Amino acid sequence: MQKKIAIIGAGFSGLSAAAYSAQAGHEVHVFEKHDGPGGRARQLKTDNGYTFDMGPSWYWMPDIIEQFFQDFGYSASNFYELVSLNPQFDIIFADGSLEVPSDYQALKAVCEQLEPGAGKKLDAFMVAAKYKYQTGMLQFVQKPCHSWWEFVSPSIAASALKLDLLSNFRRYVKRYFSHPWLVSLMEFPVIFLGASPQKIPAMYSLMNYGGYVLGTWYPMGGMFELVRAMQEVGERQGVKYHYNQPVTNISTADGMVKGLVINGEMHHFDAVIASSDYHHTETMLKPELRNYDEKYWAGRTFAPSCLIYYLGFRQRLPRLKHHTLFFEEELDAHIDDIYEHKTWPRKPLFYACCPSKTDPSVAPEGHENLFLLMPLATGLKDDEATREQYFQHMIASLERYTGVSHLANLIDYKQAYCVQDFIQDYNAYAGNAYGLANTLSQTAVGKPAMRNKRLSNLFYTGQLTVPGPGVPPSIISGKIAAAEVNKLKIIRYENAL
């Protein structure tokens, strides 16, 4: 039976849920508070010719993204040009730098040069990581995680030990590598999973395979091209998108959602999938209808927020690559300030993304497009003076590395984005940027439930539920949510859209 389905939010998980729901034959409406799609992956265009991706900038796990398009009879290449970055990125240390090549054999040679025997150890590490990737990303994360019984099968039981669920990531990495640069290289992908490497399960070495072996890519035009493509796939399935349409209330009766209040008007639906911030979505329900109370959310371990600067420069910046990690300080000190001390970092690390190195369309000719990102604890107060203090720190590092002095004088566009902006624009709990941490206790069934326990036709998708943060997991999350709604038996209400 065809259902009339509402999707709240047009981020990656919402776009995915909408496309799959419409493909199943349902009438699907997406309601987004902003004036266009993308959510945290929105695009910023300036009057003086710069185009910024406001959110994700790493295109990893290309096979997972490609699977989305193949599910609808397309390929990513039908919508945008995908190029391989070489080098994938640079890491800048206090005593040198490490360039990560796109060719795996070249990467082995880099490892061997730093640490004799590390080339063979990289092979062993990646064989295990590939197994985790194929088991984790292609099997485990496809489950709605209503119960641990979903994981009870001979094949999953046989996989349990190989997945290293009970080993911490740092100890696991140090089984293979001892050189501090190689340890940092291997630990980097899990930083945004929301905890220190000591608290992340070794299973997440799958990200090393998904990045370093499958490669780091870039869609020409920016990551927003993926957003645009997913919206178009949805449109071809019949999805209707409604922008500048914030949902302000969820109307319920008799254990079901009856409809949504949007711009003061009630619209009736048979089912709702909330791609909006999970905690915020539940504030639109009466307390007794929520899955979780405030104490629950206060006790969760969140992935970081961040301070971002979108910058345009009137000249090209030497030495910088498309992706550059500035790890000139100790990783653990910054991580402890995020997760243990919950304070502004005393010795900050940061990341620079310069897509104009690859894509001339994102900046005026002869100019440079750059955004700087510093991971932060959630819930921080981020006044302008504090933001500027850290901006000056990052600019000083850039000046040392590029050899260009007085960089601030070359800026012709500058915009900051921080904790309070995440709260204002996305209703993000405590200003989080990356969802919940993927600690062992917050993995699979340990994550907030995808289905409301008291309202049979309300579902959740996105980075605060199954399977977790990141672009590919969010796309998968939308697919799972759509499949759950498709199973739902409905009671039809009178429609009033």
Side-chain angles (χ1 to χ4, degrees), residues 144-446:
C145 297
H146 299 314
S147 165
W148 286 113
W149 288 107
E150 296 171 27
F151 298 89
V152 177
S153 73
S155 62
I156 290 177
S159 302
L161 289 177
K162 291 184 179 181
L163 290 175
D164 290 300
L165 278 168
L166 301 179
S167 301
N168 81 60
F169 194 83
R170 169 155 294 171
R171 189 180 303 120
Y172 181 77
V173 166
K174 288 190 173 181
R175 290 184 205 168
Y176 294 88
F177 309 104
S178 59
H179 194 286
W181 289 12
L182 295 183
V183 172
S184 291
L185 174 66
M186 292 301 149
E187 289 186 347
F188 155 65
V190 305
I191 290 175
F192 293 102
L193 292 178
S196 68
Q198 296 100 312
K199 295 184 178 179
I200 293 289
M203 177 184 74
Y204 287 105
S205 64
L206 63 87
M207 293 185 65
N208 299 85
Y209 177 82
Y212 302 162
V213 177
L214 298 185
T216 301
W217 301 79
Y218 174 79
M220 295 298 286
M223 289 290 289
F224 190 73
E225 292 303 308
L226 174 56
V227 172
R228 205 190 312 270
M230 292 180 68
Q231 176 185 258
E232 185 172 343
V233 168
E235 288 173 341
R236 294 181 186 183
Q237 308 308 307
V239 176
K240 303 297 182 186
Y241 299 91
H242 308 273
Y243 297 113
N244 297 307
Q245 300 287 307
V247 176
T248 55
N249 190 50
I250 301 174
S251 178
T252 65
D254 304 321
M256 296 184 70
V257 172
K258 292 182 64 176
L260 304 176
V261 177
I262 303 161
N263 283 336
E265 295 185 13
M266 170 69 77
H267 300 276
H268 293 278
F269 293 96
D270 300 314
V272 173
I273 300 175
S275 174
S276 46
D277 179 89
Y278 199 126
H279 170 268
H280 171 71
T281 301
E282 295 222 304
T283 65
M284 293 188 281
L285 299 170
K286 295 177 181 178
E288 63 269 21
L289 298 177
R290 300 172 188 173
N291 277 352
Y292 307 103
D293 59 17
E294 292 298 325
K295 183 178 179 181
Y296 170 87
W297 291 107
R300 298 304 92 192
T301 301
F302 278 84
S305 184
C306 54
L307 169 62
I308 303 172
Y309 271 94
Y310 306 103
L311 304 171
F313 290 87
R314 290 190 295 270
Q315 73 171 51
R316 304 308 294 265
L317 303 180
R319 296 191 71 189
L320 277 180
K321 303 299 191 299
H322 190 120
H323 297 300
T324 307
L325 308 176
F326 284 82
F327 279 23
E328 297 165 300
E329 301 287 354
E330 286 294 325
L331 175 63
D332 284 350
H334 190 135
I335 287 175
D336 286 347
D337 284 339
I338 293 175
Y339 303 117
E340 302 298 329
H341 308 136
K342 296 188 180 298
T343 187
W344 283 85
R346 293 159 294 176
K347 296 182 177 181
L349 288 67
F350 69 97
Y351 155 61
C353 180
C354 193
S356 49
K357 296 295 184 185
T358 304
D359 186 353
S361 74
V362 300
E365 185 176 357
H367 291 222
E368 208 81 277
N369 173 317
L370 182 69
F371 83 75
L372 306 177
L373 184 152
M374 180 181 295
L376 299 173
T378 55
L380 295 179
K381 293 183 178 180
D382 59 297
D383 58 85
E384 187 59 37
T386 304
R387 295 183 183 193
E388 185 65 20
Q389 173 189 340
Y390 284 89
F391 172 73
Q392 294 299 331
H393 172 86
M394 291 187 282
I395 283 293
S397 291
L398 284 170
E399 288 178 345
R400 288 193 299 271
Y401 184 66
T402 62
V404 179
S405 59
H406 307 295
L407 272 179
N409 295 335
L410 300 174
I411 294 172
D412 61 358
Y413 184 83
K414 177 182 177 183
Q415 179 174 322
Y417 202 92
C418 201
V419 177
Q420 296 307 312
D421 298 296
F422 282 100
I423 294 172
Q424 178 177 317
D425 287 353
Y426 310 121
N427 301 300
Y429 183 83
N432 80 85
Y434 302 99
L436 282 176
N438 277 340
T439 59
L440 182 58
S441 64
Q442 293 180 172
T443 295
V445 179

